[in-house]
Amino acid sequence: MSEIIKQYSVDLNRVENSVYRATNADGASIEFGRGEGLLSPVELLLAAVAGCTAVDVDVVTSRRTEPESFAVEASAIKGTDETGGARLNDVELSFRVRFPDDGPGRQAERMVPRLVALSHDKDCTVSRTVEHPTSVTSRVE
């Protein structure tokens, strides 16, 4: 059993047919769903995986210097598992980070591969949850 460090939750409300708003306890929200101009739930999952590692890398490297550019592409292949259920496979993150060509910038740049690996192996709650079996329970009230 793992130690409880923090409990997270979001409230999800229907805005209109196939459009939803997720709101956290602080009141921050995002709309998503099916339709033009909206991220799908699968795209939100990819953004969460990319964002989690991006934050881990950014927090540490930005202590040295601000990046000139910082972009992460998250991609995956949608397929089916052995039961015929839909799932993502081969989730891949591609980091394109550039720092100033000076001492602190070169130091930050050298740190990126190690920080990405550390995030993957230990710190990123999202990708670690996706990679390991996690129970999901639904309750209808």
Side-chain angles (χ1 to χ4, degrees):
M1 187 75 176
S2 62
E3 175 187 356
I4 296 175
I5 297 172
K6 180 177 180 177
Q7 184 171 345
Y8 289 88
S9 67
V10 295
D11 289 322
L12 183 75
N13 290 286
R14 182 180 185 271
V15 175
E16 60 184 70
N17 186 10
S18 300
V19 178
Y20 309 92
R21 180 179 299 115
T23 306
N24 71 6
D26 292 332
S29 66
I30 185 168
E31 286 189 10
F32 66 97
R34 283 192 186 163
E36 194 170 322
L38 294 172
L39 291 174
S40 72
V42 171
E43 291 163 333
L44 281 178
L45 177 64
L46 291 174
V49 171
C52 188
T53 298
V55 167
D56 290 342
V57 172
D58 193 25
V59 165
V60 176
T61 58
S62 292
R63 291 180 191 145
R64 276 41 174 199
T65 188
E66 282 295 305
E68 292 178 346
S69 63
F70 195 115
V72 184
E73 178 184 355
S75 62
I77 297 168
K78 184 176 178 181
T80 57
D81 62 18
E82 58 280 349
T83 68
R87 64 173 292 123
L88 292 181
N89 295 299
D90 303 323
V91 176
E92 182 176 286
L93 302 180
S94 297
F95 280 78
R96 292 180 303 284
V97 184
R98 191 172 68 233
F99 296 95
D101 188 17
D102 58 16
R106 287 187 291 277
Q107 182 185 25
E109 186 174 318
R110 284 191 303 270
M111 298 173 79
V112 172
R114 181 178 60 80
L115 292 169
V116 168
L118 184 61
S119 179
H120 175 270
D121 295 342
K122 183 178 178 195
D123 295 333
C124 178
T125 304
V126 178
S127 63
R128 291 185 51 76
T129 300
V130 169
E131 285 190 320
H132 298 282
T134 301
S135 65
V136 176
T137 305
S138 298
R139 182 177 66 233
V140 178
E141 297 178 0

